[in-house]
Amino acid sequence: MSSSTVDHAVVDLGIVLQTEDVALVLDIRGGGLPEVVHWGAACGPLDAASFDALTRTGVFPDAGSEVDAVVPVSLLPELSRGWSGTPGISGSRDGAHWSPRFEVTGVRVDGAPLEDGSGPVPTGRRLVSLGPASVQVSARDDEAQLELELDVELTASGAIRTRAALRNAGVDGYALDALLPTLPVPLEADEALDFAGRWAVERVPQRRRLGVGAHRRENRRGRTGLGSALVLAVGRHGFDEASGEVWGIHVGWSGDHVHQVERVAEGRQVLAGGELLLPGEIRLGAGEEYRSPWLYGFHGQGLDALAAQSHRMLRARPQHPLSPRPVTLNVWEAVYFDQNEQDLVELADAAASVGVERFVLDDGWFGARRNDRAGLGDWTVSPEVWPQGLHPLIDHVRGLGMQFGLWVEPEMVNPDSDLARAHPDWIMSARSEWPLTGRHQQVLDLANPACYAHVRDALIALLDEYDIAYLKWDHNRDLVEAGTGSRRAPGVHGQTLAFYALVDELKRHQPGLEIESCSSGGGRVDLGVLERTDRVWGSDDNDPLERRRINAWTAQLVPPELIGAHIASAPSHVTGRTHTLAFRASVALFGHLGVEADIRGWSDDERAQLAEWIALHKRERALLHGGRTVRAQTPDPAFALQGVIAEDGGRALYLFTALALGATASAGRFRLPGLDDGRRYRVEIEPLSLRGLAGNAAAWQQDGVELTGRILGRIGIVMPSVHPETAVILRATAVD
């Protein structure tokens, strides 16, 4: 934290961060915290006069019976400056200092102080115009004895992110209740879209009209949540994937959190988000600091533009997986807890024969874990199931040229386990008795150093003994009454940080180790966990009818190469529905492909078809995992269309799905979004998906057709006739 003693009044600064498509304009004047003058479409070059005019025309008039001042809405809005909505900071020092008023003491850009020769903060009005950059603002409230740092960054993708850090500069403790970075959006954004869900039914989109007041989505489950908002997007009523100006936020945090859009009577509207803190969870002693999670912001024309910003941002990270994503077989739906070496060796042989590249042993390999009621927490290989340890299986898998992966659930414990019997004090609880169980589990208090060390050492021992390239890291219950320490204080915050630390430590111990975030399926999908993991499990539901929606909406935030999507058995183990292999494979193809079935029992023809689908995925993997995701609005909800476009616009794959019987015999013309208007493309149906055709195909569907990207994108082509709950894949290739 900066402790600069520069005269606060000298700060009079404008900062413009801009890409080709997005601008973030900050105004820091009068010593107050930065106000976002504009976040949205790029505004082009701004000189000092234009910047001044932009700020002056953004001042809201006095509505009558209001404070006698212009009310700024900063990145952390303050009650002390007249803001009538949810404050950016909420807390007190035993009831005092609950309305801070911060004054800026320093500004840094890309880590370097702004200087004009007279000190760390420039004197006189100054305008700084930059491309993508990060800005850090230091501030303090001498009366409240609080220090603050605000980070705001515009990435090269056009996404922004901001966070705040609060430090107690006083002697007495400070109880922090909320720290919510805030971003303004215009009143024309009168409709909100976010997501609901439950186990096996994640990412259900929901919309509502906005009025005065707050639409607030809270998550109190101790993990990101199966019904997480994921992205809270707002825009003019009727915005969709391709059209309408849209603003969206996401809280990059894997514990309790809040997303909110709020409109106040004065005519201001803001998006805000951050960690949801439980009572007394953050108590800052003298010199202690709390840092909020990143609040990500996305803006563009249509939801696909927001998704593209997130995907490009994630792909630009130095830790983003660069090697082709291995086709994975997970053994869960093949054997469940019924593990033995011979069956799994045979399954590994079958997996290798169809082109699988990673073989993952799921739950049941350790302790007394023959079902989900016992053994969790005892991370030693079961001598009953594996008398020679895992070496024979791993050696066999590696000899077949596949990587080996292992399922773990390090944060949880069965009461019926050696660990729980030895250390009942390591179980999180808010009362003298344990909380209600979930899936016969309790939660280990990883914020307890002894508990953390025990779990870490057990996992490191496994990694040191066995050739493990991949961990499927599960988290199968909510954190109910998650108390920590002798006081049983609220512990979700500390538990989330301990989980992050544990993952980070394992990755430092074994560079190259990949980890999947699984949580009852898609219950821990967020940008906090993706800072340190290499894949998320989209859902425990592998039914392609459900997975098409789940994968498509998870891609609102996460690029396809990080979304685990498996070809599973028929009938589905979750829904009981039976679908063709072509449908199951077509949907899974557009993610990080895997298999979740006992393919030993498949016929020779089915296994040959599976091998063909895996080979197709490998041929198209660079496009599927590096292209731009598009999704199309369809005139009939019985049909869906999504695709992936190469960055150079030269190739595309589209998935056309019949979800049900349509209202008309034909789905009609569908536009193929994302192609270059001026280029000519050959459109063909992928032969492997031809089995999904229902009736007589049109000539072009047999032989292909050539049309310009403009015609394909603005007029479209009549889709094939397909049975309900089937799909076809269309390939578009530039021929000019």
Side-chain angles (χ1 to χ4, degrees):
M1 286 273 185
S2 170
S3 58
S4 171
T5 58
V6 173
D7 180 4
H8 302 158
V10 300
V11 180
D12 194 0
L13 179 66
I15 299 177
V16 180
L17 306 178
Q18 200 157 195
T19 67
E20 183 179 343
D21 301 316
V22 176
L24 179 67
V25 182
L26 303 174
D27 185 23
I28 310 174
R29 68 170 70 193
L33 295 178
E35 181 176 3
V36 179
V37 176
H38 168 72
W39 167 42
C43 49
L46 283 179
D47 58 20
S50 298
F51 180 89
D52 184 59
L54 181 62
T55 58
R56 287 188 292 110
T57 56
V59 174
F60 280 63
D62 183 353
S65 194
E66 303 293 343
V67 297
D68 297 326
V70 174
V71 178
V73 183
S74 72
L75 286 166
L76 209 64
E78 298 158 291
L79 299 176
S80 60
R81 297 186 187 271
W83 173 241
S84 65
T86 304
I89 178 173
S90 178
S92 73
R93 205 182 299 276
D94 195 21
H97 301 156
W98 56 271
S99 180
R101 184 185 181 97
F102 288 99
E103 304 286 336
V104 171
T105 59
V107 180
R108 306 172 77 88
V109 174
D110 288 337
L114 285 177
E115 297 181 1
D116 65 353
S118 61
V121 179
T123 58
R125 187 63 170 168
R126 182 176 175 189
L127 179 65
V128 179
S129 293
L130 302 163
S134 61
V135 176
Q136 185 179 76
V137 177
S138 302
R140 64 179 290 125
D141 179 340
D142 291 326
E143 182 175 339
Q145 297 179 297
L146 295 172
E147 294 180 349
L148 180 71
E149 276 187 2
L150 284 172
D151 291 298
V152 60
E153 177 181 352
L154 176 65
T155 69
S157 77
I160 66 172
R161 61 179 189 169
T162 182
R163 65 182 178 184
L166 185 73
R167 180 175 179 269
N168 180 10
V171 175
D172 298 329
Y174 184 87
L176 179 66
D177 299 321
L179 194 60
L180 301 178
T182 300
L183 296 165
V185 292
L187 292 179
E188 70 181 63
D190 62 354
E191 183 177 44
L193 177 145
D194 56 23
F195 298 89
R198 59 181 177 85
W199 178 74
V201 193
E202 298 91 335
R203 317 289 176 256
V204 178
Q206 56 183 15
R207 290 178 180 258
R208 69 190 64 212
R209 298 298 292 271
L210 298 173
V212 174
H215 168 56
R216 181 178 174 95
R217 290 293 310 280
E218 293 185 349
N219 176 75
R220 296 177 177 271
R221 295 182 176 271
R223 51 176 168 169
T224 318
L226 294 161
S228 158
L230 188 72
V231 173
L232 171 57
V234 298
R236 189 186 294 276
H237 176 60
F239 68 86
D240 58 28
E241 288 84 348
S243 64
E245 192 171 12
V246 189
W247 295 259
I249 58 168
H250 167 80
V251 178
W253 180 248
S254 306
D256 292 347
H257 59 272
V258 59
H259 294 78
Q260 178 173 294
V261 55
E262 183 174 23
R263 181 181 297 182
V264 298
E266 296 88 334
R268 308 296 290 268
Q269 183 165 271
V270 296
L271 293 166
E275 183 178 8
L276 193 159
L277 299 174
L278 297 173
E281 191 162 21
I282 301 297
R283 300 175 62 88
L284 299 177
E288 291 183 338
E289 175 182 314
Y290 167 83
R291 188 176 297 275
S292 76
W294 285 109
L295 175 68
Y296 292 84
F298 311 101
H299 168 269
Q301 295 295 318
L303 291 164
D304 282 351
L306 275 60
Q309 287 179 355
S310 182
H311 296 183
R312 289 197 301 267
M313 177 184 67
L314 290 171
R315 286 168 174 166
R317 304 170 303 158
Q319 75 270 31
H320 192 74
L322 297 178
S323 61
R325 301 293 74 221
V327 176
T328 299
L329 184 139
N330 188 69
V331 308
W332 178 242
E333 289 193 7
V335 299
Y336 290 101
F337 290 106
D338 187 17
Q339 294 185 7
N340 67 75
E341 182 181 327
Q342 183 59 40
D343 284 348
L344 288 165
V345 164
E346 292 174 2
L347 185 57
D349 289 338
S353 72
V354 297
V356 167
E357 298 163 310
R358 175 185 283 161
F359 185 89
V360 179
L361 182 64
D362 210 286
D363 196 355
W365 55 267
F366 54 92
R369 188 72 166 176
R370 308 288 81 77
N371 53 53
D372 66 357
R373 295 175 178 268
L376 193 62
D378 300 335
W379 299 112
T380 55
V381 177
S382 169
E384 173 191 347
V385 180
W386 300 98
Q388 300 180 68
L390 296 178
H391 289 293
L393 176 64
I394 295 176
D395 290 347
H396 188 77
V397 167
R398 297 294 291 123
L400 293 169
M402 296 185 291
Q403 297 178 7
F404 180 81
L406 192 65
W407 180 95
V408 293
E409 193 174 0
E411 297 146 274
M412 304 297 164
V413 64
N414 286 130
D416 184 4
S417 66
D418 293 341
L419 180 61
R421 285 184 283 271
H423 293 285
D425 54 314
W426 286 0
I427 291 176
M428 300 191 83
S429 176
R431 301 168 56 81
S432 56
E433 66 269 14
W434 287 350
L436 297 170
T437 55
R439 206 191 176 198
H440 315 293
Q441 297 175 191
Q442 295 288 356
V443 183
L444 289 172
D445 184 6
L446 292 185
N448 179 319
C451 179
Y452 177 97
H454 173 86
V455 175
R456 177 202 60 204
D457 292 348
L459 294 175
I460 285 177
L462 288 168
L463 295 175
D464 285 348
E465 180 174 357
Y466 295 109
D467 187 358
I468 298 169
Y470 176 85
L471 291 177
K472 179 180 179 180
W473 190 301
D474 215 338
H475 182 287
N476 274 313
R477 64 155 289 168
D478 294 337
L479 272 60
V480 178
E481 288 194 303
T484 183
S486 60
R487 293 178 59 247
R488 300 190 178 97
V492 173
H493 174 78
Q495 182 78 356
T496 306
L497 291 180
F499 158 64
Y500 287 167
L502 182 56
V503 173
D504 292 343
E505 193 165 354
L506 293 180
K507 286 211 160 194
R508 286 193 301 270
H509 178 79
Q510 183 171 313
L513 175 70
E514 291 196 2
I515 295 178
E516 173 185 74
S517 172
C518 175
S519 186
S520 306
R524 188 146 66 182
V525 177
D526 63 82
L527 296 186
V529 77
L530 277 172
E531 287 185 16
R532 41 191 51 85
T533 58
D534 307 280
R535 171 173 129 144
V536 296
W537 182 226
S539 176
D540 282 344
D541 190 347
N542 291 306
D543 179 327
L545 193 64
E546 301 293 334
R547 261 309 189 103
R548 190 219 60 84
R549 184 202 73 253
I550 293 168
N551 294 350
W553 283 117
T554 302
Q556 185 60 49
L557 184 72
V558 182
E561 65 269 27
L562 301 184
I563 304 172
H566 288 186
I567 303 167
S569 305
S572 166
H573 288 202
V574 171
T575 68
R577 285 190 290 243
T578 297
H579 295 111
T580 66
L581 176 56
F583 187 33
R584 287 176 277 147
S586 295
V587 171
L589 190 80
F590 284 77
H592 180 179
L593 183 68
V595 179
E596 190 102 6
D598 188 355
I599 60 174
R600 294 176 303 164
W602 287 21
S603 68
D604 291 344
D605 180 60
E606 288 175 316
R607 281 166 62 167
Q609 288 183 49
L610 178 61
E612 289 183 286
W613 280 105
I614 290 174
L616 172 63
H617 179 80
K618 291 178 180 178
R619 291 196 301 272
E620 301 290 359
R621 189 159 42 188
L623 169 61
L624 292 166
H625 293 172
R628 177 166 46 92
T629 296
V630 294
R631 297 158 299 184
Q633 274 288 308
T634 59
D636 186 335
F639 303 103
L641 181 75
Q642 67 190 76
V644 180
I645 318 298
E647 286 295 334
D648 65 2
R651 300 180 63 244
L653 286 177
Y654 295 94
L655 178 69
F656 171 70
T657 307
L659 307 173
L661 284 171
T664 56
S666 168
R669 284 188 183 269
F670 271 56
R671 300 181 179 96
L672 302 184
L675 302 175
D676 291 345
D677 279 1
R679 301 180 76 172
R680 193 169 186 86
Y681 293 87
R682 180 169 182 80
V683 180
E684 302 169 290
I685 295 177
E686 164 55 45
L688 280 178
S689 65
L690 285 173
R691 293 182 177 91
L693 292 180
N696 295 324
W700 81 262
Q701 296 167 11
Q702 296 286 352
D703 307 324
V705 66
E706 290 187 11
L707 288 167
T708 64
R710 182 182 184 89
I711 291 175
L712 291 168
R714 303 190 188 192
I715 299 176
I717 55 178
V718 174
M719 286 291 115
S721 178
V722 295
H723 291 298
E725 302 186 14
T726 57
V728 292
I729 295 172
L730 282 71
R731 177 182 287 104
T733 307
V735 295
D736 54 348

